[in-house]
Amino acid sequence: MAGTRIVLVRTKDSANVGAAARAMRNFGLDDLWLVAPRCRIDERARALASHAEELLEKARVVATLDEALAGV
């Protein structure tokens, strides 16, 4: 699954970002992009990430879906 990019668009709840990061880790994915998120990476996100906190730290934040999909 190398080269797979996970893109979340206008995420409202930080818990969803954390849960996505945990699921990504379970499947060996590590390329998380957030498009215009409406939440911050906070303690809820970190708690739900459970062993995938580094994915939250290196997540790319961009303004548009076109930016997130560039090069894919």
Side-chain angles (χ1 to χ4, degrees):
M1 295 187 74
T4 300
R5 179 178 294 177
I6 302 301
V7 179
L8 302 179
V9 180
R10 295 180 45 88
T11 310
K12 290 194 292 188
D13 192 340
S14 64
N16 291 336
V17 178
R22 182 180 64 210
M24 288 174 64
R25 170 63 72 196
N26 288 340
F27 289 96
L29 303 171
D30 64 358
D31 194 11
L32 176 61
W33 290 62
L34 305 174
V35 177
R38 295 185 282 170
C39 63
R40 296 178 185 214
I41 303 298
D42 59 11
E43 290 307 311
R44 281 182 75 207
R46 287 183 184 85
L48 283 167
S50 186
H51 304 294
E53 296 86 355
E54 68 277 0
L55 294 180
L56 298 177
E57 299 306 318
K58 70 177 195 172
R60 298 280 311 264
V61 178
V62 294
T64 68
L65 183 58
D66 286 337
E67 288 176 271
L69 298 179
V72 176

